[in-house]
Amino acid sequence: MATDADAIRITGKVQGRDIILSGPLSKDEIRDRVWWWQTPDAREPHEHGEAQHPHDESARDVIATPGGYYEIPHDPHAREASELIDMLYAELHPAE
């Protein structure tokens, strides 16, 4: 039975914020959503005008996939981050 890529949802808790990935997304889109706090948009005040609050660095950033839970590395360009992006991409694009 084929899996509809639009039905796949991957969830996570990153920098204190819940994130949801649902396909199809490009690898760059995955990187931007998982490491959202490092994108230029994240540095802008939120819609209600408040600035981004500091994050408790002792909290772990994790993402849950059908294959398990994974810790998110702080550096989005580290080897571990690239491997995580490749795995997330494969989860979101099962037919490829």
Side-chain angles (χ1 to χ4, degrees):
M1 174 171 21
T3 304
D4 182 6
D6 291 331
I8 296 173
R9 289 175 34 135
I10 297 173
T11 61
K13 186 76 149 183
V14 181
Q15 296 287 307
R17 185 172 104 178
D18 293 327
I19 63 166
I20 298 173
L21 303 175
S22 55
L25 295 172
S26 71
K27 290 182 181 182
D28 286 335
E29 289 171 322
I30 292 169
R31 185 183 318 273
D32 288 346
R33 290 189 186 183
V34 172
W35 286 273
W36 63 268
W37 75 96
Q38 294 184 359
T39 63
D41 292 344
R43 294 185 198 108
E44 298 297 321
H46 294 285
E47 63 188 54
H48 300 292
E50 74 268 11
Q52 185 177 357
H53 62 81
H55 174 66
D56 176 9
E57 292 296 326
S58 67
R60 291 175 38 180
D61 295 326
V62 295
I63 197 150
T65 72
Y69 290 90
Y70 300 91
E71 190 164 353
I72 298 170
H74 188 71
D75 180 1
H77 301 290
R79 180 183 53 81
E80 295 85 5
S82 293
E83 291 170 357
L84 179 63
I85 290 168
D86 289 343
M87 191 229 9
L88 294 172
Y89 182 86
E91 294 273 350
L92 293 170
H93 298 86
E96 293 181 6

